[in-house]
Each structure stands twice: as C-alpha cells, then as structure tokens.
Amino acid sequence: SSGVPSALHLGWTVSASSMATGFVELLGDSLQGADGPIATADALAGKKAVALYFSAHWCPPCRGFTPMLAEWYQKDLKSKGLEVVFVSSDRSDDDFGGYFKEMPWLALPFADRDKKEALSKKYGVRGIPSMVILDGDAKTVTKEGRKAVSEDPTGEEIPWKPKPLSELLAGAKIVSKDGREMSIAEAAKDRVALALYFSAHWCPPCRAFTPKMAGWYTSDLQAKGLEVIFVSWDKEEEGFKEYFGEMPWLALDYSERKLSAKLGSALGVDGIPALVILDKDLKLINSEGREAVTSDPKGEELPWHPKPVKDLAQGPGSINEVKTVIAYCETQDAAQQKAIEEALRPMAEKYLAKTSDGEDPLEFSFMICKTTDGLSAKLRGMSGLPGLPPPPHEHPLERMPGGDGWSCDGCGAGVGDERFHCTQGCDLDFCSDCNAKAGKAQEGVPPVLALYDIPDNGGFYVLPADAEISAASVEKFLNDFSSGSLQRKQL
C-alpha cells in the first residue's frame, strides 16, 4: 500500500443526488409526482437525460402528442434512463391537475408560475407542444426534443445529442454544375468559408435573392475565398435541377433529402432563403449570413463573424425571440452615430461572450438605426416615437386608391383614401403625408434608446430623454430593466 488514504477509507461518498444540483437550481427543490412532492435531486439523480415537456390541456396538438409520448416512455424510454418533467401552460390548477393525471412522469408544481416563465424564456419556447432535452448535468442537449424522440421512440440514441456539422456532412454528396461529384472536404479545400444556401425554386423571396447572390459570388466573393453550397428544399427533383441551373456554385445532391432536413434542423433554419456561414472546418460562424452578405456584397469582412452591434438596416435579426436594445440615431452625423455605437459595444460584447459555449441563449441583442427607411419607420410608429421623413424612392411613384391590404413603408400606417405606389413594380407604398415629405431633411431630433421585449407580449422600455446614451447609461438601463424598475410600454 502507498499509504495514501482512499476516499473509501475516509468515508468520502459522492451520492448520485449530489450530482443533480444543476436540476435543483433550474427547477427548484421539489417536483410533483403522482403521489405528491418529490425532491428534485432524488428524482433526477443518475438520469441519462431529462426532457422538459412544455404542454397544456387546452392545446389540441399537445393532447395528440402526450398519449404517444406516454406510451414510448412506459415501454422503452424510462427504462433507458429518460425522465420527463411536465412544464404546464394550463390556465388553471384544475386544468393542470386533470391533464397531469394522464401522465406517467413528473411535473413542475403548477403554483410556480415564475419558474415556468423563466424556463420558457431560457429555452426560447414560443409554441407548444415543445420538448427540451437536458443531459444528466442539466446542460442543454437539444431544443428539438419532440422531433428527436418522435424519430427514435425506443430511445436507441438517448440523449439524442445532435451530431456536429462535420459528422453530418462527412459523407455528403456534393455536385458541381457539370455533374462532378465531390466530398465536403474537396468543396472546402482552399476556401476561407462555406455558405450553406437553403433555398427552393417555388419560393418567391428565394428567386429574388438568388440572382443577387449569384452576381456577388461571381464578381467578388468566390475570388475572396467563399464557396456556396445550395441545400435544396424543393419538392421535386425537376424543380431542383431547373433552379440549380441558374446558380454558379455547388449543391448538395437532391438525393440527400434526409441530410437536407437534418442540416436545417441542426442550424435552426425555419424559413427560406437562409444563408449559413461556416468556416473551413465546418464550424458555425454566422447563422444570419444573408443579412451579412447583403450588407457586404464585396466580401470586405468575409467570413462575417457576428458583430456585437448590428445595423437595423440589415434586417430585424432575432428581435422577435430575444430582448433587443435599439439606438435610434437617424438624424445624427456619422461621428455621433459612431459614438453611440461605441457606447453600446461593451454590454453587447458582454452578452455575446456569454453564448460562446453554445449552452446559454443570447439574453440581449443590440442594434443601431442610422437610416430612416424600412424598419426604422415601422418600429418608430409602433413605439409611438417621433416619425421622420422617409428617404426618397429610387423610382417614380403614382397615386392610387387606398383600399385595404397595404401599409405605408414610410410610417407603417395603412390608412387613408390614397397611396403612392412604385411605377416599376417595387413593393413600396407611401401614404400621402410620407410622399409629401420623403427626402426632406429633419434636424434636431435627439437619439432614442429603446429596449424591446417582444416575447413578453410586445413590451418595450425607453431610456429617459434627459439621459445621454453612454456606456454607463446603457449598463444602468439594462440593470434597471432586470430589477423591474423601468416603466413598461406596450407596442
């Protein structure tokens, strides 16, 4: 013997329940079982995976999915190390109780509504039924748990850890315009970055974006080290072939339908056209590649690492899902706009850095608004902020009857007996007021800092007008929001 005391000799023990502290922090000290409360640490100790099941009695899709999940759980999943915790969106304790009786697993106590809301926000749950899979340490495995379990109801692949992109693409069949087949390694050889272009022949926005992207690719981006791979969501192979014929880059072969769907799921693509930028090692750089390329079509900033402070002119980003701070400074000069952007940067970098391990979702996004067109006008109108003259349109406009089904691209309004529509077919309309003042300079409008919490039923907050936008005031603004001391406004 070496004489070194062992853990056994000293009576040291590490219980399985002590390893479940992450679940206690996440879910609280106790969960509800069929026979009453049960300690969270004991209930979830030693589990291979835990599924947070967001559901409700009033939701028809939930009531369709729950019996299937219960059958899979009792037949295979429970014995293979899965525990399920029901996180209720029911409207009353009675509804919760009646629904929970149909479930053979655990539940978050219905009375803990604050915990339920915190879980929904943490995991970005926007619709039900939804299921988030956690590993034994309470770390996120996948937010696509419902899909993962449905595809593997016997639990052969528990805990359903998503495969890395490099593994997903390892055997992918990539084809060139002349029909030559190649591996993903060949496609990435000597490239600075890869862009996976999710698109389809039947999609009008895709068919509008593809010619622009093709022009940028052939003029500058290809020479600067970008390769594009078309990932088709076409419904028929003929559509794929016709559409690919218009593209100057590579494609994932149409036969790779399952891989196409897996890539979309792995990268969170829920709408097309979408452009996802990867590095040469197939690691994600930017999931909002379309906006990045549109703002930099010559590739001066390729491979387009995400910026801490984004320009609203490039698109709304994740404003519908993530709390977003926007600095409106459309009438300030370039030096003032730069100073405001620098004031946002410290907090923007702080929150972006928190997401670097891929575990925690982005808590706050930061944007700056420097121009008066598009989203600026609409958000100002929705927020009750002072309106600004829109920039003049590039084509002549003609007077038309107002009617229904339109909104002004200058102020966001959709009222009035007349509208002014682009004569060259652009999807642009001005109301009579915006048409009269389009292009006119307006000075003396102070910058505005606003925080939008759209997931909270469209809530937003505005920095007091007498506060200068500085790094210190931005930090205090966010601290005041977190403490609940700001006045909530409603979009």
Side-chain angles (χ1 to χ4, degrees):
S1 171
S2 66
V4 178
S6 68
L8 178 62
H9 292 153
L10 292 176
W12 296 344
T13 59
V14 180
S15 68
S17 61
S18 71
M19 299 175 65
T21 55
F23 288 111
V24 175
E25 294 175 1
L26 185 70
L27 303 173
D29 291 331
S30 66
L31 296 171
Q32 185 166 336
D35 300 321
I38 181 172
T40 301
D42 294 336
L44 303 183
K47 296 299 179 182
K48 186 177 291 185
V50 173
L52 302 183
Y53 179 40
F54 297 83
S55 185
H57 180 270
W58 52 262
C59 164
C62 298
R63 293 190 59 80
F65 181 69
T66 297
M68 294 190 294
L69 180 61
E71 179 182 348
W72 300 335
Y73 174 83
Q74 292 174 311
K75 185 178 179 181
D76 292 292
L77 302 180
K78 182 178 182 180
S79 63
K80 290 182 177 177
L82 177 72
E83 188 53 84
V84 179
V85 178
F86 169 39
V87 183
S88 173
S89 292
D90 285 299
R91 294 169 179 144
S92 72
D93 193 23
D94 287 342
D95 288 343
F96 161 78
Y99 192 29
F100 184 47
K101 286 180 181 179
E102 304 172 14
M103 302 177 180
W105 44 69
L106 306 173
L108 184 77
F110 183 78
D112 199 347
R113 296 290 82 194
D114 289 344
K115 185 71 73 177
K116 181 266 175 188
E117 292 300 323
L119 290 171
S120 294
K121 287 187 177 182
K122 177 178 177 64
Y123 297 110
V125 176
R126 301 182 62 203
I128 53 174
S130 179
M131 192 151 60
V132 177
I133 307 296
L134 310 177
D135 66 15
D137 296 319
K139 301 294 186 181
T140 305
V141 175
T142 177
K143 296 180 183 179
E144 299 289 338
R146 180 185 173 195
K147 184 174 185 292
V149 174
S150 297
E151 292 178 351
D152 177 33
T154 61
E156 299 300 321
E157 299 181 7
I158 282 179
W160 303 289
K161 184 176 181 179
K163 293 181 179 178
L165 290 174
S166 57
E167 188 174 336
L168 278 177
L169 289 165
K173 181 180 177 182
I174 310 297
V175 294
S176 64
K177 292 291 293 292
D178 58 9
R180 185 170 63 91
E181 297 181 11
M182 68 186 76
S183 67
I184 191 68
E186 291 176 275
K189 185 178 180 181
D190 299 325
R191 300 284 87 191
V192 173
L194 292 178
L196 300 185
Y197 180 38
F198 295 83
S199 188
H201 182 267
W202 52 262
C203 165
C206 297
R207 294 191 61 82
F209 179 70
T210 296
K212 296 178 183 178
M213 184 66 194
W216 301 332
Y217 175 82
T218 54
S219 296
D220 294 285
L221 301 180
Q222 183 182 31
K224 290 183 177 177
L226 180 72
E227 187 54 82
V228 179
I229 299 176
F230 169 40
V231 181
S232 172
W233 281 12
D234 283 297
K235 301 170 184 176
E236 298 177 353
E237 188 169 6
E238 285 305 311
F240 161 78
K241 288 180 178 178
E242 180 182 342
Y243 195 27
F244 184 38
E246 303 171 10
M247 301 176 181
W249 42 67
L250 306 176
L252 181 69
D253 192 75
Y254 188 77
S255 64
E256 300 271 30
R257 308 314 300 145
K258 289 185 178 179
L259 178 55
S260 173
K262 287 182 178 180
L263 288 171
S265 178
L267 293 166
V269 176
D270 55 10
I272 54 175
L275 197 69
V276 179
I277 310 299
L278 311 178
D279 67 16
K280 61 182 180 180
D281 297 318
L282 306 182
K283 294 180 180 179
L284 177 65
I285 292 178
N286 195 332
S287 59
E288 297 178 0
R290 181 184 170 197
E291 291 81 0
V293 175
T294 299
S295 66
D296 178 33
K298 292 186 178 296
E300 300 296 335
E301 299 180 2
L302 194 156
W304 304 292
H305 289 281
K307 294 182 178 180
V309 181
K310 299 179 180 179
D311 192 331
L312 185 65
Q314 297 174 17
S318 54
I319 191 172
N320 288 320
E321 297 84 29
V322 178
K323 295 184 285 289
T324 301
V325 176
I326 299 180
Y328 296 91
C329 50
E330 301 96 318
T331 64
Q332 278 60 52
D333 61 32
Q336 292 171 315
Q337 291 177 341
K338 182 65 175 177
I340 290 172
E341 184 172 351
E342 291 303 312
L344 297 176
R345 186 177 300 279
M347 297 303 291
E349 291 178 340
K350 172 184 174 180
Y351 285 102
L352 189 61
K354 289 183 177 182
T355 68
S356 60
D357 61 359
E359 171 64 24
D360 295 319
L362 185 63
E363 186 175 356
F364 292 99
S365 178
F366 293 77
M367 308 187 85
I368 187 167
C369 182
K370 302 176 183 178
T371 62
T372 59
D373 56 343
L375 289 171
S376 163
K378 291 183 178 180
L379 276 173
R380 275 184 172 272
M382 293 170 64
S383 309
L385 301 177
L388 299 173
H393 187 53
E394 58 183 320
H395 302 136
L397 305 181
E398 62 178 344
R399 187 196 309 256
M400 300 180 65
D404 298 322
W406 71 281
S407 63
C408 176
D409 289 287
C411 63
V415 296
D417 297 329
E418 62 180 12
R419 60 173 169 155
F420 292 80
H421 186 72
C422 176
T423 59
Q424 303 300 309
C426 297
D427 184 19
L428 179 130
D429 295 282
F430 280 159
C431 64
S432 56
D433 185 44
C434 285
N435 181 65
K437 63 184 183 182
K440 294 183 178 179
Q442 183 165 338
E443 300 178 354
V445 179
V448 176
L449 189 71
L451 190 162
Y452 294 89
D453 190 4
I454 291 179
D456 183 26
N457 298 312
F460 75 101
Y461 307 79
V462 178
L463 183 73
D466 59 352
E468 179 184 359
I469 300 177
S470 65
S473 68
V474 172
E475 182 175 7
K476 183 177 186 302
F477 186 46
L478 293 178
N479 289 339
D480 290 345
F481 167 79
S482 298
S483 68
S485 60
L486 295 178
Q487 180 184 358
R488 184 185 186 278
K489 300 177 183 289
Q490 182 66 46
L491 289 176

